Amino acid sequence: MKLKKQVTVCGAAVFCVAVFSLYLMLDRVQHDPIRHQNGGNFPRSQISVLQNRIEQLEQLLEENHEIISHIKESVLELTANAEGPPALLPYYTANGSWVVPPEPRPSFFSISPQDCQFALGGRGQKPELQMLTVSEELPFDNVDGGVWKQGFDISYSPHDWDAEDLQVFVVPHSHNDPGWIKTFDKYYTEQTQHILNSMVSKLQEDPRRRFLWAEVSFFAKWWDNINAQKRAAVRRLVGNGQLEMATGGWVMPDEANSHYFALIDQLIEGHQWLEKNLGATPRSGWAVDPFGHSPTMPYLLRRANLTSMLIQRVHYAIKKHFSATHSLEFMWRQTWDPDSSTDIFCHMMPFYSYDVPHTCGPDPKICCQFDFKRLPGGRINCPWKVPPRAITEANVAERAALLLDQYRKKSRLFRSNVLLVPLGDDFRYDKPHEWDAQFFNYQRLFDFLNSQPALHVQAQFGTLSDYFDALYKRTGVEPGARPPGFPVLSGDFFSYADREDHYWTGYYTSRPFYKSLDRTLEAHLRGAEILYSLAVAHSRRSGLASQYPLSNFALLTEARRTLGLFQHHDAITGTAKEAVVVDYGVRLLRSLVSLKQVIINAAHYLVLGDKETYHFDPEAPFLQMDDTRLNHDALPERTVIQLDSSPRYVVLFNPLEQERLSVVSLLVSSPRVCVFSEEGQPLAVQISAHWSSATDMVPDVYQVSVPIRLPALGLGVLRLQLGLDRHRTLPSSVRVYLHGRQLAVSRHEAFPLRVIDSGTGDFALSNRYMQVWFSGLSGLLKSIRRVDEEQEQRVDMEFLVYGTRTSKDKSGAYLFLPDGEAQPYVPKDAPVLRVTEGPFFSEVVAFYEHVHQVVRLYNLPGVEGLSLDVSSLVDIRDYVNKELALRIHTDIDSQGAAPAVFEEAALTGQLLPHAGHGLHPGRPESAHPAHSPGPGRLQPP
């Protein structure tokens, strides 16, 4: 209404000015004294000029009247339906392209440097260690280091500790994977519950004993199955410091594949559980098994008020370098942080693994002799053929001296005289006799060492926080502060290699189907939490809380925990065994279905004008979601909206905290469809065919795409009904390139379609911002040019194939070990290309034998119009021992660096979710050495 008034007033003012100007002109002519003195005789030429001007003025007045009429009609049309936003009505230009008019509102907002911490880089002290620089300087060789194969000989003087005793903290721990070789529930039943049950009794036998636990998911399941007396005992053990809950996450998450929202979610879920049930707040982070480490985790842990953390899986060459420079402990800082606000103290374990043979010191042959689970007669032994011996009065001096030598050598790699020695491995302490063997024998060693002042050592059981507290005390700083002389580091620790050239980069792309399902669940969880919160708040404010199903909160909790469980470093990574992957998939799908119920209930309540009419009936939901999945390993099937004489309604939700303009695509049963906004305003739509293959349309199913603007965290409603508005229902045009293949192509009278049997000329798609060129032969992207720039940027795509080695070590779920350089992907037949062009989006689909790729360009103002959507769907069931990759070459200026080359191997296995990389899903042999007796598996090369 405000716009209508403004335009009307403006038009009226223009009209009044024009009329008043004409009046003044005529009045001046009539009353001009000079003209009266001349008897009123005008020269004929002047009369003619005046007459022409009057005629021109009359014509202008008439045009002005028409303009005002048009403006008035436009205003009435725009404001006919309350406050609805103007519809985007594209038009077809003479050169054959669609144009969407610009919006009156700005599409972009300016950003002040103060708004972005990245813009503040360069201020303050730079870190001494920048991982990009370190990686460029290291040779990454693999020199034999003696007993410490990946390191070097360590020497010391017995008098090095005369001034200050060596303080040793031995930290018993058990790393419990929430799914890997066995499922989560099977691990719990067969091992984890026994570990935790024994923990309660064994720690209470001696107050000097300590234990570390990290996986809250297992702990919460166990907690639900124990009695009140045992719960009270656990709280006492936590309270007196014998049991430490480290990190406090639902799992020990992967740090390469997980989205930071999911990392935060699983951390919050674990911390809230600990606070509610144990009254505990984690202080230290413990990450011994993720396959490489991201700076995102220290940032999140620091923001969660943790002061210290530990990491383990770092490239052996980096570990060696940091050991030689005494840089294994550092303040980990974000690369964009100009000061120390994001710093967290980090300890990097120096040796090959976190098992007992690789934690007491540099020589695994000796350290294995102090893993008392391997005493003769047990199920596992030491691969170095020297077994442990029980500690007695007769041998304690000799055994203590041997162990102390390892402690002293390890301590020479660090800057303080406080030493951390983990004592555990995967699923350790699952039998009571192991608790006894470890605690009794180590306590005898500690008692002897501590009774010898000349040795200058104090050894004890401890937790991770015990170690950090002692280090801070020795260095004279508050917990979490930077000890004097310790370096500051920024960067990440990817990619990880544990030996030779065994780079753990295969898991970046293993089982991509489930990686995608993870993101789907994450998006639905965020949307469900927002809608549930809005609905509950509204129902409480309206006094209708009793009518709303608050039981949906339990579904949200279950979904958060399922998502958290899948962030585990053997879940989202795709590195678990087949049966475990199936178990994860079933859990993900079950939670996805539950979240859709929460979304349906909340949206139903929120869209109702009269909230008192809301009725919750789980057997007859008011709404249904736009896609379904038949199984955990099935691609989603989209819902087809059946159109008839009655209108159909679609509810849309924007889960972002900012307004967005997006194209929404729906499947309908007729190409004759009209779409209206919530206010009843007709909307322009693009109608396209729905294809089942490269050349076959699905009968009686059509895709309707409509651009719609949704408010932040807001809902919108579309009305669909049968009908045809030729000005607003705009069909796509299609070109199909067969490249000589004899294939029948479906046709429909609603869509212009042209079949091109042969032709290899390049072609382009364009919108108001850019022009995108494609290869006429391959259908793949070649270059991009922005309309406001003359230079074209090369963005050249190609498919490549990697083979795998014929040796014992092969590429798999963990490792990427190709047999050489990638070779071009050569399909049996030339690809079929399908080019769709329309008012709101255009796309190129290239159909190859094993993959089809879609590149879509949106014709919209704003951010979406400045981006390309690229997606690939892959079926490699007959591609055994091969990996398909998409490589992108660009000539984008990298500020002095070489032209960029990007490679994405996630294409492999998309349609075959169980296949991973077509190879074994287990860890490489060196990953968890305690599970296997062979010396080649335990001893690093």
Side-chain angles (χ1 to χ4, degrees), residues 531-532 534-536 538-539 548 598-615 621-624 649-654 678 710 713-718:
L531 283 173
Y532 177 83
L534 293 174
V536 169
H538 195 288
S539 66
Y548 192 79
V598 176
I599 291 171
I600 287 171
N601 295 335
H604 177 196
Y605 180 84
L606 292 170
V607 298
L608 287 177
D610 183 3
K611 299 294 189 289
E612 294 188 359
T613 63
Y614 174 79
H615 175 66
F622 182 73
L623 300 168
Q624 67 181 96
Y649 294 89
V650 176
V651 179
L652 306 171
F653 173 56
N654 174 20
E678 189 173 349
L710 291 174
L713 307 180
L715 291 163
V717 179
L718 295 179

Side-chain angles (χ1 to χ4, degrees), residues 878-889:
D878 60 346
Y879 245 40
V880 180
N881 291 344
K882 294 184 183 296
E883 183 147 6
L884 186 64
L886 174 64
R887 183 176 290 174
I888 303 174
H889 300 266

Side-chain angles (χ1 to χ4, degrees), residues 798-803 819-826 883-884 887:
E798 63 174 333
F799 288 116
L800 300 167
V801 176
Y802 286 99
D819 58 358
E821 293 293 326
Q823 300 301 313
Y825 168 68
V826 182
E883 183 147 6
L884 186 64
R887 183 176 290 174

Side-chain angles (χ1 to χ4, degrees), residues 256-257 291 495-496 502-512 515 572-575 810-818 883 904-906 908 916-917 919 924:
N257 297 279
F291 320 140
S495 295
Y496 167 61
H502 287 202
Y503 282 89
W504 293 40
T505 56
Y507 79 94
Y508 294 168
T509 58
S510 294
R511 292 190 168 99
K515 287 175 167 64
I572 193 173
T573 55
T575 53
K810 300 177 183 294
S811 287
Y814 290 84
L815 303 182
F816 179 53
L817 293 172
E883 183 147 6
E904 176 54 74
T908 303
H917 287 247
L919 302 167

Side-chain angles (χ1 to χ4, degrees), residues 667-776:
L667 296 184
V668 295
S669 59
S670 172
R672 300 173 59 85
V673 58
C674 293
V675 181
F676 299 86
S677 68
E678 189 173 349
E679 297 82 13
Q681 180 182 354
L683 302 176
V685 301
Q686 176 176 334
I687 294 291
S688 310
H690 185 56
W691 300 80
S692 60
S693 69
T695 56
D696 296 321
M697 296 182 187
V698 180
D700 301 322
V701 178
Y702 309 89
Q703 180 175 271
V704 55
S705 302
V706 53
I708 185 167
R709 182 176 293 279
L710 291 174
L713 307 180
L715 291 163
V717 179
L718 295 179
R719 187 177 87 238
L720 282 66
Q721 61 188 52
L722 279 172
L724 184 61
D725 183 345
R726 296 191 180 276
H727 296 292
R728 290 182 170 84
T729 305
L730 308 170
S732 303
S733 64
V734 181
R735 302 193 309 273
V736 178
Y737 295 81
L738 296 179
H739 290 140
R741 298 172 64 178
Q742 301 301 313
L743 299 171
V745 182
S746 300
R747 294 180 180 271
H748 193 286
E749 60 182 8
F751 311 107
L753 186 144
R754 185 158 58 102
V755 177
I756 303 171
D757 291 328
S758 62
T760 58
D762 295 346
F763 58 89
L765 299 179
S766 61
N767 63 13
R768 62 186 300 178
Y769 298 117
M770 69 176 80
Q771 187 176 44
V772 184
W773 283 90
F774 296 83
S775 165

Side-chain angles (χ1 to χ4, degrees), residues 150 540 652 807 814 836 932:
Q150 297 165 318
R540 288 174 176 172
L652 306 171
S807 61
Y814 290 84
T836 301
S932 44

Side-chain angles (χ1 to χ4, degrees), residues 352-587:
Y352 170 73
S353 178
Y354 55 85
D355 62 346
V356 180
H358 297 94
T359 50
C360 88
D363 191 341
K365 180 179 179 180
I366 293 176
C367 290
C368 193
Q369 298 173 45
F370 294 91
D371 184 359
F372 296 102
K373 181 177 182 176
R374 302 173 191 258
L375 286 168
R379 290 174 53 196
I380 62 172
N381 52 34
C382 285
W384 295 270
K385 308 302 183 184
V386 182
R389 286 185 282 163
I391 306 302
T392 64
E393 290 187 9
N395 68 13
V396 65
E398 177 266 327
R399 305 308 291 172
L402 186 64
L403 181 60
L404 178 59
D405 176 66
Q406 290 297 302
Y407 287 169
R408 286 174 169 177
K409 287 179 177 178
K410 183 178 182 180
S411 74
R412 290 297 81 193
L413 306 179
F414 295 88
R415 296 182 183 237
S416 79
N417 284 331
V418 183
L419 183 65
L420 174 68
V421 180
L423 181 69
D425 198 358
D426 289 1
F427 295 95
R428 281 301 191 90
Y429 301 95
D430 59 341
K431 301 289 192 299
H433 68 78
E434 182 183 358
W435 289 86
D436 294 337
Q438 303 285 30
F439 280 115
F440 283 141
N441 285 288
Y442 267 98
Q443 193 61 58
R444 289 167 182 160
L445 290 166
F446 296 161
D447 290 344
F448 177 81
L449 291 171
N450 296 339
S451 68
Q452 304 294 318
L455 297 178
H456 296 286
V457 60
Q458 293 295 316
Q460 63 195 74
F461 292 116
T463 64
L464 185 61
S465 291
D466 288 338
Y467 165 74
F468 284 126
D469 287 343
L471 186 148
Y472 294 135
K473 184 176 181 181
R474 282 281 182 101
T475 55
V477 298
E478 293 295 320
R482 178 184 178 184
F486 281 60
V488 175
L489 175 145
S490 66
D492 63 60
F493 296 102
F494 292 113
S495 295
Y496 167 61
D498 60 341
R499 59 189 175 100
E500 299 172 344
D501 63 348
H502 287 202
Y503 282 89
W504 293 40
T505 56
Y507 79 94
Y508 294 168
T509 58
S510 294
R511 292 190 168 99
F513 179 90
Y514 292 102
K515 287 175 167 64
S516 173
L517 186 57
D518 162 82
R519 294 297 197 265
T520 300
L521 179 63
E522 187 174 346
H524 279 73
L525 176 60
R526 174 173 168 78
E529 288 178 331
I530 294 171
L531 283 173
Y532 177 83
S533 300
L534 293 174
V536 169
H538 195 288
S539 66
R540 288 174 176 172
R541 187 169 60 249
S542 304
L544 303 173
S546 60
Q547 299 182 28
Y548 192 79
L550 299 179
S551 58
N552 279 182
F553 185 79
L555 299 180
L556 286 175
T557 301
E558 179 191 7
R560 276 197 299 271
R561 294 179 175 182
T562 298
L563 181 66
L565 184 70
F566 196 68
Q567 305 315 303
H568 163 53
H569 54 265
D570 282 309
I572 193 173
T573 55
T575 53
K577 290 292 187 181
E578 182 65 21
V580 182
V581 173
V582 172
D583 182 65
Y584 285 136
V586 171
R587 291 171 182 268

